[in-house]
Amino acid sequence: MSMPLRQAIRVAGYILGQRLRRRAKYPLLVELEPLFACNLKCAGCGKIQQPAEVLKQRMPVDQAIAAIEECGAPMVSIAGGEPLMHPQIGELVRELVARKKYVFLCTNALLIPKKLDEFEPSRYFAWTVHIDGLRERHDASVCKEGVFDDAVAAVRECQRRGFRVTTNTTFFNSDSPQSVIEVLDYLNDDLQVDEIMISPGYAYAKAPDQDGFLGVEQTRRLFHEVFARGNRRRWRFNHTPLFLDFLEGKVDFPCTAWAIPSYSTFGWQRPCYLMADGYAGTYRELIDDTDWSRYGRGHDPRCDNCMAHCGYEPTAVFATLGSLHQSLRALRHS
């Protein structure tokens, strides 16, 4: 994995501290959703299928900061919706960075040219730009032409100004091994982003396109063929080797959704970023009052085809740090 060494040491120390305190469940990263509104209507996303009054809501900065401090997670992924539509997004990032939280701002990049002056490069901050394929594939995924070119231009401008830039790519059943390889080669070699994150698409019940999601066996076949070409170690993934093993079916893990919880204007979402079975007022309430045994493959039909990183990457991280062999393996891949 290509996580910066300082960040990797910080996260490993945090996990060790939680274990010494004998805490069984704790957050690694918070998916912070300060709004649900978006400037795109992507075919595979169900987040914008909210009532108009909900789409108008914007989380106050103080509320967001209080939630992050209450749970204590060392990393925050600011998602949505499109977080750059939040009028105080620059202030929110500055407050989190001042608290030495590692912040990833997830964006489709269309508003970066208008908002970039509100941000400063920092080892605690990275842009995470959604790029779901090369030009034709990406524009079809977001249901709008020209978005790929705008996103690439925004990435290059961020790089020119000294920002860390990562990407997040979601794959669907319309992707072939060759198309996956081509976009990963492009992100790694041509665009030269700092880190690449990948995930199979989760079947949002309210997503406009219900026919494009990958099942577990499809996901394993796809990534087994992709990684068999010999490029896995070369690509700068923001994943542990064990999570990549998981994607291609070499290992299997239980879901640890509590390690990457989601906090939105509704509160802490049960059980995860991808499913909404009610909300809790505090992270402790989320942990203590959620029956986690009900969720995961084999327990809830909605989970049967999920292999998303928000549920399974934390399990891979815990397994990596619990094994000297896997820890050394992760260091060799960094």
Side-chain angles (χ1 to χ4, degrees):
M1 60 182 173
S2 57
M3 179 185 291
L5 181 60
R6 185 189 297 266
Q7 182 179 347
I9 292 173
R10 167 88 174 276
V11 172
Y14 167 80
I15 293 173
L16 177 60
Q18 300 301 311
R19 289 178 174 176
L20 290 174
R21 295 178 180 89
R22 300 185 181 279
R23 291 175 179 166
K25 294 182 174 64
Y26 48 88
L28 285 181
L29 177 147
V30 173
E31 292 277 3
L32 178 65
E33 298 178 287
L35 79 173
F36 289 112
C38 190
N39 52 354
L40 289 175
K41 297 180 180 180
C42 301
C45 179
K47 288 290 181 178
I48 64 169
Q49 307 301 321
Q50 297 281 354
E53 60 270 19
V54 173
L55 294 177
K56 293 177 182 178
Q57 295 176 2
R58 305 291 184 265
M59 184 185 296
V61 171
D62 290 349
Q63 179 183 339
I65 297 300
I68 301 304
E69 290 193 325
E70 183 249 325
C71 75
M75 298 181 288
V76 182
S77 175
I78 305 178
E82 170 50 57
L84 288 179
M85 293 175 65
H86 195 293
Q88 295 173 290
I89 188 62
E91 178 186 352
L92 175 56
V93 169
R94 287 192 295 274
E95 291 291 336
L96 290 170
V97 166
R99 289 162 172 79
K100 297 184 178 180
K101 303 294 184 181
Y102 287 95
V103 180
F104 301 86
L105 198 157
C106 303
T107 175
N108 57 41
L110 295 181
L111 292 176
I112 284 180
K114 294 181 180 179
K115 295 283 190 172
L116 191 53
D117 289 341
E118 297 184 24
F119 303 87
E120 295 182 0
S122 167
R123 67 171 178 262
Y124 294 106
F125 176 70
W127 298 97
T128 299
V129 177
H130 293 270
I131 296 183
D132 286 344
L134 297 181
R135 182 178 290 107
E136 183 178 351
R137 175 71 184 84
H138 179 74
D139 288 353
S141 177
V142 302
C143 304
K144 185 176 181 180
E145 292 185 3
V147 175
F148 177 84
D149 290 335
D150 289 342
V152 168
V155 166
R156 295 197 186 281
E157 180 59 18
C158 290
Q159 291 171 325
R160 188 186 71 81
R161 296 205 193 185
F163 288 94
R164 284 183 56 79
V165 181
T166 69
T167 55
N168 185 10
T169 301
T170 304
F171 294 108
F172 298 90
N173 63 18
S174 55
D175 288 296
S176 67
Q178 186 58 37
S179 70
V180 174
I181 289 169
E182 287 173 357
V183 70
L184 293 178
D185 278 344
Y186 178 79
L187 296 172
N188 194 84
D189 303 333
D190 296 280
L191 203 53
Q192 296 184 2
V193 298
D194 292 282
E195 297 168 347
I196 301 166
M197 186 164 63
I198 59 176
S199 187
Y202 174 79
Y204 277 114
K206 295 183 179 180
D209 178 11
Q210 289 294 307
D211 298 323
F213 297 108
L214 286 162
V216 169
E217 292 307 316
Q218 287 178 296
T219 297
R220 289 170 174 165
R221 285 195 301 270
L222 175 65
F223 285 106
H224 177 75
E225 292 186 42
V226 169
F227 296 152
R229 310 289 178 91
N231 290 315
R232 190 178 122 167
R233 290 190 63 178
R234 185 176 64 82
W235 290 320
R236 291 184 297 279
F237 284 124
N238 185 21
H239 295 294
T240 59
L242 275 177
F243 179 74
L244 301 177
D245 289 348
F246 167 76
L247 285 182
E248 62 172 317
K250 290 182 176 179
V251 298
D252 201 10
F253 291 124
C255 174
T256 49
W258 44 264
I260 301 187
S262 174
Y263 184 76
S264 72
T265 54
F266 294 139
W268 294 96
Q269 183 169 315
R270 292 191 177 99
C272 67
Y273 176 70
L274 300 169
M275 292 165 53
D277 284 355
Y279 297 85
T282 66
Y283 179 72
R284 182 47 48 196
E285 180 186 340
L286 173 74
I287 293 301
D288 292 344
D289 296 348
T290 303
D291 183 359
W292 299 101
S293 66
R294 292 174 47 201
Y295 299 103
R297 291 201 302 275
H299 300 284
D300 188 315
R302 296 171 297 175
C303 303
D304 285 348
N305 284 313
C306 180
M307 296 181 72
H309 62 268
C310 60
Y312 293 95
E313 179 72 86
T315 324
V317 170
F318 297 142
T320 296
L321 294 178
S323 163
L324 177 59
H325 169 71
Q326 293 298 339
S327 295
L328 292 174
R329 183 184 177 210
L331 287 172
R332 287 196 300 270
H333 284 70
S334 64

